[in-house]
């Protein structure tokens, strides 16, 4: 499964956590252009993604995430190394 195939799954997690049922994400989505994506929501999003995919992100990796595309690429790396 590629990161593009995972985008709808990640989008559903964002919709649930942010309580935005019509939210549409793309690789360039970020906290500046997604409503209600604040620091607390970010923690909840990362936790939900880690739980869903059974991965753990290091703090240094999370600090390098600027867009949903960065998150998808990092998730691909984590899943490929399992």
């Amino acid at each position: 499964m590629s990161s593009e195939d995972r985008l709808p799954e990640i989008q559903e997690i964002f919709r649930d956590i942010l309580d935005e049922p019509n939210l549409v994400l793309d690789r360039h989505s970020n906290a500046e252009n997604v409503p209600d994506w604040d620091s607390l929501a970010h923690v909840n999003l990362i936790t939900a993604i880690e739980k869903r995919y059974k991965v753990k992100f290091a703090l240094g990796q999370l600090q390098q995430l600027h867009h949903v595309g960065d998150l998808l690429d990092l998730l691909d790396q984590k899943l490929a190394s399992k």
Side-chain angles (χ1 to χ4, degrees):
M1 179 178 276
S2 73
S3 60
E4 296 308 314
D5 296 329
R6 269 190 205 78
L7 182 57
E9 296 174 357
I10 296 296
Q11 182 172 270
E12 285 304 314
I13 293 170
F14 272 71
R15 286 176 174 177
D16 182 49
I17 299 293
L18 300 177
D19 195 27
E20 295 281 343
N22 298 317
L23 178 67
V24 177
L25 296 177
D26 62 34
R27 290 187 61 84
H28 302 288
S29 299
N30 61 39
E32 292 178 12
N33 59 29
V34 174
D36 300 321
W37 185 355
D38 58 17
S39 57
L40 179 58
H42 187 78
V43 170
N44 291 333
L45 289 164
I46 295 300
T47 301
I49 291 167
E50 286 178 331
K51 189 174 190 177
R52 164 69 175 82
Y53 292 99
K54 296 176 179 54
V55 297
K56 269 299 208 197
F57 299 116
L59 181 58
Q61 293 172 318
L62 294 175
Q63 292 173 333
Q64 296 178 6
L65 301 179
H66 302 289
H67 300 92
V68 169
D70 297 334
L71 174 61
L72 290 168
D73 294 342
L74 178 58
L75 184 57
D76 281 350
Q77 292 172 10
K78 288 288 188 180
L79 294 172
S81 68
K82 282 181 109 177

